Amino acid sequence: MPAKVGFVKIISMSSSSVFNIGDVFSISPQATAKTFAGGGSFNTGDGIRIHLNRSNTYVNDKELIDQPISQP
């Protein structure tokens, strides 16, 4: 079924972004990344105060491959 899309405003896109408008059969990533972040990470806004005293992020990743990427 065809999609009807109104106005679209794109602020920014990175080099590994996927942007699609309308119908699509398959979207596959060309790059993957894994991010580990502790408490208080990724906060945005004005006047944010965060008091964590001692905050540690422990990572124990036993998987060698999380998401394989295959080229068509």
Side-chain angles (χ1 to χ4, degrees):
M1 178 174 220
K4 293 183 180 181
V5 179
F7 294 102
V8 176
K9 181 178 181 181
I10 301 173
I11 303 299
S12 66
M13 287 183 67
S14 67
S15 60
S16 62
S17 298
V18 175
F19 178 74
N20 178 62
I21 294 180
D23 298 334
V24 65
F25 174 72
S26 175
I27 295 178
S28 62
Q30 299 299 315
T32 60
K34 185 183 289 190
T35 303
F36 300 102
S41 299
F42 306 117
N43 292 321
T44 58
D46 297 328
I48 294 176
R49 291 184 181 187
I50 300 169
H51 302 283
L52 296 173
N53 295 332
R54 291 186 167 188
S55 176
N56 296 323
T57 301
Y58 298 103
V59 178
N60 185 11
D61 187 14
K62 296 179 182 179
E63 300 173 346
L64 297 176
I65 299 174
D66 292 324
Q67 180 179 358
I69 299 175
S70 61
Q71 298 295 328

